[in-house]
Amino acid sequence: MTAIPLQLRRTPPVDAGQQRQGDPLVDAFGRVHRDLRISLTDRCSLRCTYCMPEQGNEWLARNSILTTDEIERVARIAAADGISTFRLTGGEPLLRRDIVDVVARLARIESPEGPVAIAMTTNGIRLPELLPELVAAGLSRLNISIDTLRRDRFAELTRRDRLEEVREAIAAAAASGLRPLKLNAVAMRGVNDDELVDLVEFAMAHDAQMRFIEQMPLDAGHTWDRSQMVTREEILEALGRRWELTPVPGRGGAPAERWTLDGGPHTVGVIASVTAPFCGDCDRMRLTADGQLRNCLFSTTEYDLVPLLRGGASDAQVDAMLRSCIAGKLAGHAIDDPSFLQPPRGMNAIGG
């Protein structure tokens, strides 16, 4: 097994050899992993400024992208170890031609606790045409990204004039009955920070939960500027002028803190990875579209599954790589540490 070492570990890893196939995936800090985020492609139908440059993207070679058989195999092995949720991401997962088949095959997998849940994060483009098939295939939950309700801002931010398609996707998702339905927005100073209340009201009208995300250092151009990030406290202050916010207990390993609005039933979430990191309860690992395991969104170390998947390795060997990846997980991402290094990959190549 070979890891690609890009940063020195600062904590002693768990001895993965002490764990057996089928045991829970537990790291050196006792965190049990139940969520695998699977990127299906690094390509996207938008070019959001905080994620990708408009031109000059170096796409993954098509022959490096995991096949559906390979994805299903890794998912089946991970589920036997207690992974109970698979979240399909990208890039834009709906650009994958066999997306319905991917959902159907993963939805048939069971963990020791029963059937797994299949979630998806999408920009919504192509969703209305595919949603009935995705629901029939076993899709459980949807997160749809929408950073602004203004057409001019959307076009400037995403470099594509496709806001109406995203609105249509949200309407279709609201009518589908898939719940919880979540809408994601990256809060950006001078870009959409005057729309926070409007976005929440839009979500409420679609029986969805609005979730605001602090802008993170994951842009492909490495131009992230902390001063442009709207913080958790600023978001809550803006919303608190409109609604009474009451914290929702029992967050567990969820990335978003939640608050009820005026006593409920509607809620709003904030994912504050920078100013209020939730690393201590993280239960997620990631699989990139080209078969690299990552134990943290901000990790600079990857574990290459491709030689195993395409070299005749046994399920036990694949399982051992999963455990090595988890054993190497650090206590936190250390964004505020002077030694922090931004991952070489952009968000579209890592997977949301």
Side-chain angles (χ1 to χ4, degrees):
M1 296 180 293
T2 304
I4 305 173
L6 299 175
Q7 175 174 301
L8 293 176
R9 296 189 180 96
R10 286 175 283 181
T11 55
V14 163
D15 182 359
Q18 295 179 354
Q19 300 181 22
R20 298 174 299 174
Q21 189 173 359
D23 287 344
L25 295 167
V26 185
D27 68 14
F29 305 93
R31 294 171 294 199
V32 180
H33 291 71
R34 301 180 179 88
D35 185 307
L36 176 62
R37 307 204 165 194
I38 303 173
S39 176
L40 300 180
T41 178
D42 62 330
R43 297 174 184 264
C44 189
S45 41
L46 302 177
R47 294 291 183 273
C48 296
T49 55
Y50 55 79
C51 182
M52 300 168 64
E54 183 173 14
Q55 298 177 342
N57 292 286
E58 295 184 8
W59 307 114
L60 295 173
R62 292 193 181 277
N63 62 3
S64 74
I65 302 294
L66 293 185
T67 67
T68 303
D69 285 343
E70 290 167 340
I71 292 170
E72 181 182 13
R73 184 184 180 198
V74 175
R76 175 172 48 79
I77 294 168
D81 296 334
I83 295 291
S84 57
T85 298
F86 298 111
R87 176 168 293 281
L88 305 180
T89 70
E92 173 46 51
L94 295 181
L95 290 180
R96 178 119 178 180
R97 293 179 180 179
D98 61 348
I99 181 62
V100 174
D101 186 43
V102 171
V103 170
R105 290 167 68 168
L106 296 185
R108 290 194 290 266
I109 295 173
E110 292 201 6
S111 74
E113 298 178 355
V116 299
I118 310 299
M120 182 184 294
T121 297
T122 173
N123 62 29
I125 297 171
R126 294 198 70 213
L127 184 63
E129 65 185 278
L130 292 171
L131 189 54
E133 292 180 84
L134 290 170
V135 172
L139 184 66
S140 308
R141 302 194 299 269
L142 268 174
N143 289 20
I144 302 176
S145 300
I146 181 167
D147 294 318
T148 177
L149 300 173
R150 288 178 44 172
R151 181 178 175 181
D152 58 335
R153 284 184 177 175
F154 186 92
E156 182 177 359
L157 183 61
T158 69
R159 305 184 179 104
R160 301 290 187 272
D161 185 11
R162 308 188 74 170
L163 176 59
E164 288 310 308
E165 292 172 76
V166 177
R167 282 178 170 267
E168 290 170 9
I170 293 169
S176 74
L178 284 181
R179 296 296 185 277
L181 172 61
K182 299 174 183 178
L183 307 184
N184 294 343
V186 177
M188 292 163 281
R189 194 176 310 285
V191 177
N192 64 352
D193 53 341
D194 60 342
E195 290 188 76
L196 303 184
V197 168
D198 293 341
L199 283 162
V200 173
E201 290 178 337
F202 175 80
M204 292 168 64
H206 290 83
D207 193 26
Q209 178 197 123
M210 193 70 226
R211 306 198 314 171
F212 294 107
I213 303 170
E214 288 183 340
Q215 188 174 1
M216 296 176 283
L218 290 168
D219 59 301
H222 290 207
T223 60
W224 179 76
D225 182 352
R226 188 186 184 108
S227 67
Q228 297 305 305
M229 178 189 73
V230 182
T231 67
R232 168 186 179 272
E233 292 306 315
E234 290 175 292
I235 293 167
L236 294 177
E237 181 181 356
L239 299 181
R241 291 194 292 266
R242 171 63 176 81
W243 295 282
E244 179 182 350
L245 304 178
T246 304
V248 177
R251 175 182 180 181
E257 297 175 86
R258 292 187 300 136
W259 289 262
T260 58
L261 303 168
D262 288 344
H266 296 290
T267 62
V268 66
V270 178
I271 300 176
S273 297
V274 179
T275 65
F278 42 91
C279 303
D281 294 310
C282 179
D283 64 354
R284 290 169 295 287
M285 62 188 304
R286 286 174 163 77
L287 177 64
T288 68
D290 58 345
Q292 306 299 312
L293 284 171
R294 300 175 62 88
N295 54 36
C296 176
L297 181 60
F298 300 96
S299 178
T300 51
T301 299
E302 295 184 338
Y303 297 74
D304 191 357
L305 279 178
V306 175
L308 299 180
L309 296 173
R310 299 181 181 177
S314 67
D315 285 0
Q317 289 173 295
V318 175
D319 180 84
M321 183 67 89
L322 295 177
R323 295 184 186 281
S324 290
C325 176
I326 293 302
K329 189 166 184 171
L330 300 176
H333 54 55
I335 286 177
D336 286 327
D337 191 296
S339 66
F340 175 77
L341 296 175
Q342 183 171 338
R345 293 186 190 241
M347 187 67 157
N348 68 299
I350 295 173

